Amino acid sequence: MLPDLEHLITLQRILNAATAARARTDELPSHIARLDARLGETSEEVVRARQRFNDLKTDRQAREKELALVQTRLSRFKEQLMEVKTNREYQAMQVEIAGGEAEVGRLEDVILERMLEGDERAAEVERAEHQLAEQRAAIEVERAELEREQVDLAQRVEQLEAERKRQVGVLAPRLLALFETVASHRNGIAVVEARDGRCSSCQVRLRPQLFNNIRLNDSLIQCESCQRILYFETRPDAPAPGADG
């Protein structure tokens, strides 16, 4: 392979790797933010579960107080029943007692329902807290991995930048100027592979003779469409240069 072409390919691969590393670095903060958001949602569900349990508990306690008042009133009615002097008063007191007993029964049923529902709500709280603990542990591991990746990527970018400088140092000024001119107009991609008779970047079909010349890798040839510098990656099953196609 032509040494100049090989240097340009190496430079492009370095820049591609650096671009990918920087892109991944830019993605990591949003990944970490999503982890925090997910943990926040689970934490909020724990808060809601606890609130539902506490609301139910408060309601049950209110019903129990109400029941105690009704029972006290009922006891007073029963005591007063022994003191009534007329049949009419007796019947009226019996109505009050019957109403009180019905209210006691209703409140006892409600309290029992609240107790059973309270058991369910307590189980919900326990499940939510368990899920939160598991998720927090998993997210801490994932966050640590992402933070390590951030450090590794920073080191990788620094290493690639040093490699880029070394590679630029071996290029003739005219070659570097060509590379930078093409790259500036093509999203940083100045050197690409020619594959299956096409430029692998713009996908324009190359003239057969031009493609055969590219396959020799002995000269700098630019795509007639996008102007990127083309090279041929030799593969074990590829036909020999100069063959038809």
Side-chain angles (χ1 to χ4, degrees):
M1 179 179 285
L2 182 72
D4 286 344
L5 179 59
E6 190 169 6
H7 291 321
L8 290 172
I9 293 170
T10 300
L11 177 58
Q12 185 65 67
R13 286 173 176 169
I14 291 170
L15 294 180
N16 291 349
T19 298
R22 290 189 180 97
R24 177 59 180 167
T25 299
D26 292 341
E27 292 173 357
L28 291 180
S30 62
H31 283 304
I32 293 173
R34 282 195 291 272
L35 291 180
D36 292 338
R38 201 166 76 217
L39 186 61
E41 289 172 3
T42 306
S43 298
E44 289 175 3
E45 179 54 36
V46 171
V47 171
R48 288 192 292 269
R50 288 173 179 165
Q51 188 61 52
R52 288 192 293 269
F53 175 78
N54 290 333
D55 289 346
L56 191 66
K57 182 178 178 182
T58 300
D59 182 73
R60 191 191 75 195
Q61 290 172 341
R63 302 291 182 175
E64 288 172 344
K65 289 180 180 179
E66 187 179 354
L67 175 62
L69 291 174
V70 173
Q71 287 174 328
T72 298
R73 190 167 65 248
L74 183 60
S75 296
R76 189 165 57 249
F77 287 152
K78 289 180 178 179
E79 290 173 359
Q80 292 173 353
L81 183 65
M82 306 302 295
E83 300 174 1
V84 298
K85 297 181 178 176
T86 67
N87 189 51
R88 185 174 181 179
E89 289 176 340
Y90 183 84
Q91 289 177 345
M93 194 63 65
Q94 286 282 31
V95 170
E96 293 290 345
I97 290 172
E101 288 177 340
E103 183 65 7
V104 166
R106 186 188 71 81
L107 288 170
E108 286 178 341
D109 288 343
V110 171
I111 290 169
L112 179 59
E113 290 174 2
R114 296 295 184 270
M115 290 175 65
L116 294 174
E117 192 176 351
D119 291 340
E120 295 176 3
R121 293 284 182 256
E124 285 181 3
V125 171
E126 185 176 353
R127 286 194 297 270
E129 289 176 341
H130 180 70
Q131 181 181 0
L132 177 61
E134 285 189 337
Q135 190 177 77
R136 180 178 285 117
I139 284 177
E140 285 177 358
V141 171
E142 193 170 351
R143 173 189 280 276
E145 290 175 352
L146 291 173
E147 289 173 349
R148 281 195 298 272
E149 186 178 359
Q150 282 181 315
V151 173
D152 291 343
L153 285 168
Q155 294 174 344
R156 176 64 174 155
V157 168
E158 186 177 345
Q159 175 188 356
L160 288 167
E161 179 59 22
E163 292 178 11
R164 184 195 69 79
K165 289 179 179 179
R166 285 195 296 271
Q167 196 62 32
V168 164
V170 301
L171 285 174
R174 63 178 181 80
L175 291 177
L176 181 59
L178 172 63
F179 182 95
E180 291 179 342
T181 297
V182 176
S184 66
H185 290 89
R186 299 300 177 188
N187 297 319
I189 307 297
V191 183
V192 299
E193 182 184 357
R195 188 186 312 123
D196 300 327
R198 296 177 182 273
C199 168
S200 63
S201 185
C202 71
Q203 294 301 312
V204 167
R205 181 169 291 281
L206 305 167
R207 291 182 290 105
Q209 184 56 50
L210 182 64
F211 183 54
N212 275 332
N213 291 340
I214 293 167
R215 292 174 67 184
L216 297 173
N217 285 330
D218 62 359
S219 59
L220 297 182
I221 300 174
Q222 292 176 256
C223 173
E224 294 174 335
S225 175
C226 68
Q227 302 303 308
R228 291 181 174 93
I229 300 164
L230 299 171
Y231 69 95
F232 183 75
E233 186 72 40
T234 303
R235 293 177 175 81
D237 58 346
D244 290 339

